[in-house]
Amino acid sequence: QVQLVESGGGSVQAGGSLRLSCAASGYIYSGYSMGWFRQAPGKEREGVAVIYTDGRNSYYADYADFVKGRFTISQSSAEQTLILQMNSLKPEDTAMYYCAATRGVIATPLNRNKYNVWGQGTQVTVSS
């Protein structure tokens, strides 16, 4: 059974940085797509950044437009850890951030409905 545990959330001022980590238990990386999603109060959960597989041992990163140039997603297969480096944070980035995973090829990697394994989330608060 794959489990995901997020860490690294916190409170920062606008313009600051945070680094989120997602530790996976159970062998997860081969054939899996993984990503970060977020949900602000009163809003739907939305895709932030993902690393997805094409089913042929190649992996690609995709980002929501609102984080391009500010956030970077990476993974360490040896450590089974997914990282989200968040720079130039804005108050509108305030949300609960979730790590998610799914096995196989997915046509819309930033679509939250394609993922079936979720972590508990870590809160990110950005003040102005």
Side-chain angles (χ1 to χ4, degrees), residues 61-109:
D62 196 11
Y63 297 88
D65 287 343
F66 52 78
V67 301
K68 284 181 179 177
R70 301 189 297 124
F71 293 9
T72 302
I73 189 171
S74 60
Q75 67 182 43
S76 167
S77 56
E79 298 174 353
Q80 301 236 120
T81 304
L82 188 72
I83 302 294
L84 185 67
Q85 178 66 43
M86 305 187 296
N87 298 327
S88 302
L89 283 161
K90 304 175 181 180
E92 50 264 45
D93 294 319
T94 295
M96 185 71 79
Y97 282 71
Y98 298 90
C99 178
T102 189
R103 188 174 180 87
V105 179
I106 49 177
T108 51

Side-chain angles (χ1 to χ4, degrees), residues 41-59:
K43 295 188 176 182
E44 292 188 348
R45 192 171 298 188
E46 59 185 359
V48 175
V50 299
I51 294 179
Y52 63 96
T53 178
D54 67 353
R56 292 188 291 268
N57 276 342
S58 292
Y59 293 82

Side-chain angles (χ1 to χ4, degrees), residues 108-126:
T108 51
L110 287 170
N111 183 343
R112 69 181 189 276
N113 296 317
K114 303 298 184 181
Y115 294 78
N116 57 2
V117 181
W118 291 86
Q120 297 286 71
T122 185
Q123 178 67 37
V124 171
T125 302
V126 185

